[in-house]
Amino acid sequence: MTADLHALFVHAHPDDETINNGATMAKYVAEGRGVTVVTCTAGEMGEVLVPDLGHLAYDKDGGPGERRKEEIAAAMARLGVTDHRWLGGFGRFHDSGMARHEDGHAVAADVVPDNGFWHADLTEAADELVKEIRELRPQVLVTYNEFGGYGHPRPHPGTPGRDVRRSAGRRPRRTSSHSAPRTTSPRSTGAR
């Protein structure tokens, strides 16, 4: 494979790229394929699960966005990805947050910041991604399905690839969306 073959991965916020596609990205890099990751928000409203990092919570210190910026840089270096970009530049789109209903499914957060992605103009956000697509001309585009990959309660920052590629004036040769399986089966886990 050569660097003229390119894959573009579009993710909502830091850690999604590694959790969902880290092995694929590392494989593409090892094969000499160009890999670009576009991250839509810094995940400022993400849950802070480690008690020692509780000070990073959105309601205490504005959220873990700056720390996650460092973490994604380290993750990209570890995976060998040298082209990471923030949709529209770092901080252009702010994480909208989410909460969990008592039955466990994702619901909208009680408070969404005025600059949260949920309030962003979808055309404006898609135009930013279209710029990246036109520059990179990827053969493969990986992003979220219409449910945000894991049941996110509203349109997720990872705009569905097929629609964005059409907006970019290209007929998709190949697009992929990913979502977490609701159940575990031999087919969903790769076991045979």
mmCIF file of all heavy atoms in Angstrom, residues 8 38 85 126-138 141 163-170:
data_model
loop_
_atom_site.group_PDB
_atom_site.id
_atom_site.type_symbol
_atom_site.label_atom_id
_atom_site.label_comp_id
_atom_site.label_asym_id
_atom_site.label_seq_id
_atom_site.Cartn_x
_atom_site.Cartn_y
_atom_site.Cartn_z
ATOM 1 N N LEU A 8 -9.862 8.381 6.112
ATOM 2 C CA LEU A 8 -10.246 9.480 6.989
ATOM 3 C C LEU A 8 -11.207 8.944 8.041
ATOM 4 O O LEU A 8 -12.222 8.340 7.712
ATOM 5 C CB LEU A 8 -10.912 10.590 6.176
ATOM 6 C CG LEU A 8 -11.531 11.751 6.953
ATOM 7 C CD1 LEU A 8 -10.494 12.471 7.804
ATOM 8 C CD2 LEU A 8 -12.212 12.715 5.988
ATOM 9 N N VAL A 38 -10.104 13.284 12.191
ATOM 10 C CA VAL A 38 -10.738 14.564 12.488
ATOM 11 C C VAL A 38 -11.586 14.352 13.736
ATOM 12 O O VAL A 38 -12.443 13.471 13.770
ATOM 13 C CB VAL A 38 -11.611 15.063 11.319
ATOM 14 C CG1 VAL A 38 -12.405 16.300 11.738
ATOM 15 C CG2 VAL A 38 -10.755 15.368 10.103
ATOM 16 N N ARG A 85 -6.586 16.349 13.196
ATOM 17 C CA ARG A 85 -7.153 17.689 13.038
ATOM 18 C C ARG A 85 -8.402 17.827 13.897
ATOM 19 O O ARG A 85 -9.093 16.851 14.154
ATOM 20 C CB ARG A 85 -7.534 17.933 11.571
ATOM 21 C CG ARG A 85 -6.376 17.705 10.620
ATOM 22 C CD ARG A 85 -6.813 17.689 9.184
ATOM 23 N NE ARG A 85 -5.697 17.334 8.311
ATOM 24 C CZ ARG A 85 -5.645 17.624 7.033
ATOM 25 N NH1 ARG A 85 -6.639 18.287 6.453
ATOM 26 N NH2 ARG A 85 -4.608 17.262 6.315
ATOM 27 N N ALA A 126 -20.834 20.475 8.620
ATOM 28 C CA ALA A 126 -20.576 19.619 7.458
ATOM 29 C C ALA A 126 -19.638 20.309 6.475
ATOM 30 O O ALA A 126 -18.753 19.667 5.902
ATOM 31 C CB ALA A 126 -21.888 19.254 6.768
ATOM 32 N N ASP A 127 -19.795 21.620 6.297
ATOM 33 C CA ASP A 127 -18.894 22.364 5.404
ATOM 34 C C ASP A 127 -17.448 22.271 5.873
ATOM 35 O O ASP A 127 -16.524 22.166 5.059
ATOM 36 C CB ASP A 127 -19.307 23.828 5.300
ATOM 37 C CG ASP A 127 -20.554 24.038 4.446
ATOM 38 O OD1 ASP A 127 -20.979 23.088 3.750
ATOM 39 O OD2 ASP A 127 -21.093 25.165 4.480
ATOM 40 N N GLU A 128 -17.238 22.311 7.182
ATOM 41 C CA GLU A 128 -15.876 22.167 7.716
ATOM 42 C C GLU A 128 -15.306 20.794 7.373
ATOM 43 O O GLU A 128 -14.147 20.667 6.990
ATOM 44 C CB GLU A 128 -15.853 22.388 9.235
ATOM 45 C CG GLU A 128 -16.105 23.805 9.653
ATOM 46 C CD GLU A 128 -15.012 24.767 9.219
ATOM 47 O OE1 GLU A 128 -13.871 24.343 8.959
ATOM 48 O OE2 GLU A 128 -15.308 25.976 9.133
ATOM 49 N N LEU A 129 -16.145 19.765 7.482
ATOM 50 C CA LEU A 129 -15.686 18.422 7.153
ATOM 51 C C LEU A 129 -15.481 18.263 5.649
ATOM 52 O O LEU A 129 -14.528 17.614 5.211
ATOM 53 C CB LEU A 129 -16.664 17.372 7.690
ATOM 54 C CG LEU A 129 -16.206 15.929 7.596
ATOM 55 C CD1 LEU A 129 -14.834 15.718 8.239
ATOM 56 C CD2 LEU A 129 -17.237 15.019 8.239
ATOM 57 N N VAL A 130 -16.329 18.867 4.870
ATOM 58 C CA VAL A 130 -16.190 18.817 3.413
ATOM 59 C C VAL A 130 -14.830 19.394 2.997
ATOM 60 O O VAL A 130 -14.174 18.869 2.099
ATOM 61 C CB VAL A 130 -17.362 19.534 2.721
ATOM 62 C CG1 VAL A 130 -17.069 19.818 1.250
ATOM 63 C CG2 VAL A 130 -18.630 18.697 2.856
ATOM 64 N N LYS A 131 -14.393 20.467 3.650
ATOM 65 C CA LYS A 131 -13.064 21.040 3.351
ATOM 66 C C LYS A 131 -11.974 19.980 3.514
ATOM 67 O O LYS A 131 -11.060 19.881 2.685
ATOM 68 C CB LYS A 131 -12.761 22.223 4.273
ATOM 69 C CG LYS A 131 -13.554 23.458 4.001
ATOM 70 C CD LYS A 131 -13.189 24.530 5.040
ATOM 71 C CE LYS A 131 -14.172 25.658 5.034
ATOM 72 N NZ LYS A 131 -13.904 26.625 6.133
ATOM 73 N N GLU A 132 -12.063 19.219 4.591
ATOM 74 C CA GLU A 132 -11.070 18.170 4.846
ATOM 75 C C GLU A 132 -11.150 17.082 3.772
ATOM 76 O O GLU A 132 -10.129 16.616 3.262
ATOM 77 C CB GLU A 132 -11.270 17.556 6.235
ATOM 78 C CG GLU A 132 -11.260 18.537 7.381
ATOM 79 C CD GLU A 132 -9.928 19.215 7.606
ATOM 80 O OE1 GLU A 132 -8.896 18.769 7.067
ATOM 81 O OE2 GLU A 132 -9.909 20.226 8.335
ATOM 82 N N ILE A 133 -12.355 16.692 3.428
ATOM 83 C CA ILE A 133 -12.546 15.643 2.423
ATOM 84 C C ILE A 133 -11.999 16.093 1.074
ATOM 85 O O ILE A 133 -11.307 15.337 0.384
ATOM 86 C CB ILE A 133 -14.031 15.248 2.321
ATOM 87 C CG1 ILE A 133 -14.480 14.573 3.621
ATOM 88 C CG2 ILE A 133 -14.275 14.343 1.119
ATOM 89 C CD1 ILE A 133 -15.975 14.409 3.742
ATOM 90 N N ARG A 134 -12.282 17.308 0.699
ATOM 91 C CA ARG A 134 -11.789 17.804 -0.597
ATOM 92 C C ARG A 134 -10.271 17.881 -0.629
ATOM 93 O O ARG A 134 -9.662 17.623 -1.659
ATOM 94 C CB ARG A 134 -12.410 19.163 -0.904
ATOM 95 C CG ARG A 134 -13.858 19.041 -1.310
ATOM 96 C CD ARG A 134 -14.454 20.366 -1.693
ATOM 97 N NE ARG A 134 -15.797 20.163 -2.220
ATOM 98 C CZ ARG A 134 -16.724 21.085 -2.237
ATOM 99 N NH1 ARG A 134 -16.472 22.296 -1.769
ATOM 100 N NH2 ARG A 134 -17.915 20.815 -2.732
ATOM 101 N N GLU A 135 -9.677 18.259 0.485
ATOM 102 C CA GLU A 135 -8.211 18.317 0.534
ATOM 103 C C GLU A 135 -7.596 16.914 0.478
ATOM 104 O O GLU A 135 -6.665 16.664 -0.268
ATOM 105 C CB GLU A 135 -7.748 19.012 1.812
ATOM 106 C CG GLU A 135 -6.238 18.994 1.985
ATOM 107 C CD GLU A 135 -5.783 19.457 3.353
ATOM 108 O OE1 GLU A 135 -6.536 20.170 4.046
ATOM 109 O OE2 GLU A 135 -4.665 19.087 3.731
ATOM 110 N N LEU A 136 -8.136 15.997 1.265
ATOM 111 C CA LEU A 136 -7.530 14.675 1.425
ATOM 112 C C LEU A 136 -7.922 13.679 0.334
ATOM 113 O O LEU A 136 -7.153 12.769 0.039
ATOM 114 C CB LEU A 136 -7.908 14.099 2.791
ATOM 115 C CG LEU A 136 -7.409 14.913 3.990
ATOM 116 C CD1 LEU A 136 -8.111 14.465 5.257
ATOM 117 C CD2 LEU A 136 -5.905 14.797 4.116
ATOM 118 N N ARG A 137 -9.135 13.802 -0.191
ATOM 119 C CA ARG A 137 -9.651 12.869 -1.202
ATOM 120 C C ARG A 137 -9.504 11.409 -0.749
ATOM 121 O O ARG A 137 -8.919 10.575 -1.448
ATOM 122 C CB ARG A 137 -8.974 13.079 -2.553
ATOM 123 C CG ARG A 137 -8.904 14.529 -3.031
ATOM 124 C CD ARG A 137 -10.224 15.162 -3.292
ATOM 125 N NE ARG A 137 -10.738 14.806 -4.598
ATOM 126 C CZ ARG A 137 -11.934 15.148 -5.007
ATOM 127 N NH1 ARG A 137 -12.727 15.845 -4.238
ATOM 128 N NH2 ARG A 137 -12.350 14.795 -6.192
ATOM 129 N N PRO A 138 -10.021 11.068 0.444
ATOM 130 C CA PRO A 138 -9.832 9.713 0.959
ATOM 131 C C PRO A 138 -10.590 8.665 0.151
ATOM 132 O O PRO A 138 -11.659 8.941 -0.380
ATOM 133 C CB PRO A 138 -10.390 9.798 2.380
ATOM 134 C CG PRO A 138 -11.438 10.863 2.285
ATOM 135 C CD PRO A 138 -10.881 11.872 1.309
ATOM 136 N N LEU A 141 -13.806 6.502 4.203
ATOM 137 C CA LEU A 141 -14.259 7.453 5.207
ATOM 138 C C LEU A 141 -15.027 6.672 6.264
ATOM 139 O O LEU A 141 -16.005 5.989 5.953
ATOM 140 C CB LEU A 141 -15.164 8.507 4.570
ATOM 141 C CG LEU A 141 -15.875 9.483 5.509
ATOM 142 C CD1 LEU A 141 -14.883 10.292 6.323
ATOM 143 C CD2 LEU A 141 -16.793 10.396 4.712
ATOM 144 N N ASP A 163 -23.515 11.185 3.336
ATOM 145 C CA ASP A 163 -24.106 12.493 3.060
ATOM 146 C C ASP A 163 -23.042 13.570 2.923
ATOM 147 O O ASP A 163 -23.139 14.440 2.064
ATOM 148 C CB ASP A 163 -25.090 12.871 4.164
ATOM 149 C CG ASP A 163 -26.268 11.911 4.218
ATOM 150 O OD1 ASP A 163 -26.590 11.317 3.163
ATOM 151 O OD2 ASP A 163 -26.842 11.741 5.294
ATOM 152 N N VAL A 164 -22.029 13.524 3.759
ATOM 153 C CA VAL A 164 -20.964 14.524 3.687
ATOM 154 C C VAL A 164 -20.181 14.365 2.393
ATOM 155 O O VAL A 164 -19.853 15.341 1.724
ATOM 156 C CB VAL A 164 -20.035 14.431 4.912
ATOM 157 C CG1 VAL A 164 -18.814 15.313 4.736
ATOM 158 C CG2 VAL A 164 -20.794 14.818 6.168
ATOM 159 N N ARG A 165 -19.901 13.146 1.998
ATOM 160 C CA ARG A 165 -19.153 12.947 0.748
ATOM 161 C C ARG A 165 -19.959 13.431 -0.446
ATOM 162 O O ARG A 165 -19.408 14.011 -1.372
ATOM 163 C CB ARG A 165 -18.747 11.490 0.588
ATOM 164 C CG ARG A 165 -17.601 11.166 1.550
ATOM 165 C CD ARG A 165 -17.039 9.836 1.322
ATOM 166 N NE ARG A 165 -16.296 9.819 0.080
ATOM 167 C CZ ARG A 165 -15.433 8.869 -0.236
ATOM 168 N NH1 ARG A 165 -15.203 7.911 0.599
ATOM 169 N NH2 ARG A 165 -14.822 8.886 -1.379
ATOM 170 N N ARG A 166 -21.262 13.223 -0.417
ATOM 171 C CA ARG A 166 -22.089 13.757 -1.509
ATOM 172 C C ARG A 166 -22.014 15.274 -1.515
ATOM 173 O O ARG A 166 -21.940 15.899 -2.562
ATOM 174 C CB ARG A 166 -23.533 13.288 -1.360
ATOM 175 C CG ARG A 166 -23.702 11.849 -1.793
ATOM 176 C CD ARG A 166 -25.157 11.454 -1.880
ATOM 177 N NE ARG A 166 -25.234 10.067 -2.261
ATOM 178 C CZ ARG A 166 -25.887 9.143 -1.582
ATOM 179 N NH1 ARG A 166 -26.555 9.451 -0.504
ATOM 180 N NH2 ARG A 166 -25.893 7.892 -1.996
ATOM 181 N N SER A 167 -22.029 15.883 -0.329
ATOM 182 C CA SER A 167 -21.919 17.338 -0.236
ATOM 183 C C SER A 167 -20.584 17.815 -0.791
ATOM 184 O O SER A 167 -20.467 18.927 -1.272
ATOM 185 C CB SER A 167 -22.039 17.793 1.222
ATOM 186 O OG SER A 167 -23.308 17.489 1.718
ATOM 187 N N ALA A 168 -19.577 16.980 -0.696
ATOM 188 C CA ALA A 168 -18.248 17.345 -1.183
ATOM 189 C C ALA A 168 -18.157 17.199 -2.699
ATOM 190 O O ALA A 168 -17.117 17.448 -3.291
ATOM 191 C CB ALA A 168 -17.183 16.468 -0.526
ATOM 192 N N GLY A 169 -19.247 16.778 -3.333
ATOM 193 C CA GLY A 169 -19.265 16.658 -4.782
ATOM 194 C C GLY A 169 -18.653 15.360 -5.267
ATOM 195 O O GLY A 169 -18.265 15.237 -6.422
ATOM 196 N N ARG A 170 -18.581 14.376 -4.380
ATOM 197 C CA ARG A 170 -18.013 13.087 -4.764
ATOM 198 C C ARG A 170 -19.029 12.003 -4.498
ATOM 199 O O ARG A 170 -19.712 12.011 -3.490
ATOM 200 C CB ARG A 170 -16.770 12.790 -3.925
ATOM 201 C CG ARG A 170 -15.642 13.730 -4.197
ATOM 202 C CD ARG A 170 -14.423 13.348 -3.430
ATOM 203 N NE ARG A 170 -13.958 12.041 -3.870
ATOM 204 C CZ ARG A 170 -13.141 11.288 -3.147
ATOM 205 N NH1 ARG A 170 -12.726 11.675 -1.984
ATOM 206 N NH2 ARG A 170 -12.735 10.119 -3.601
#
